[in-house]
Amino acid sequence: MELGGTNSASNLWPEPNRTGATGTANPKDAVEDTLHRAICNHTVKLADAQNAIAANWATALKTLGL
């Protein structure tokens, strides 16, 4: 939801934490945060960020040159 989308349950899924981690330690969160900042800074278009993370979140930053 950080990059848009509906608030419906179909747009939500659990992101489990690493065993023993304190706080939020999911590596996808850092990708989402970076994309969010890039959108707000107008260095990446929202649709491009959404497409990149939907295709493969692990490569989204590289795909967009971030």
Side-chain angles (χ1 to χ4, degrees):
M1 288 182 27
E2 189 166 353
L3 301 178
T6 179
N7 289 336
S8 73
S10 65
N11 192 38
L12 305 175
W13 57 89
E15 294 181 9
N17 231 356
R18 288 179 289 176
T19 302
T22 57
T24 302
N26 188 314
K28 187 178 179 191
D29 291 337
V31 174
E32 292 168 336
D33 291 345
T34 299
L35 291 174
H36 186 181
R37 281 191 302 275
I39 292 163
C40 289
N41 292 332
H42 304 284
T43 55
V44 171
K45 293 180 181 178
L46 175 59
D48 293 338
Q50 290 171 329
N51 289 333
I53 203 165
N56 185 342
W57 75 265
T59 61
L61 298 180
K62 184 177 180 180
T63 297
L64 297 169
L66 300 173

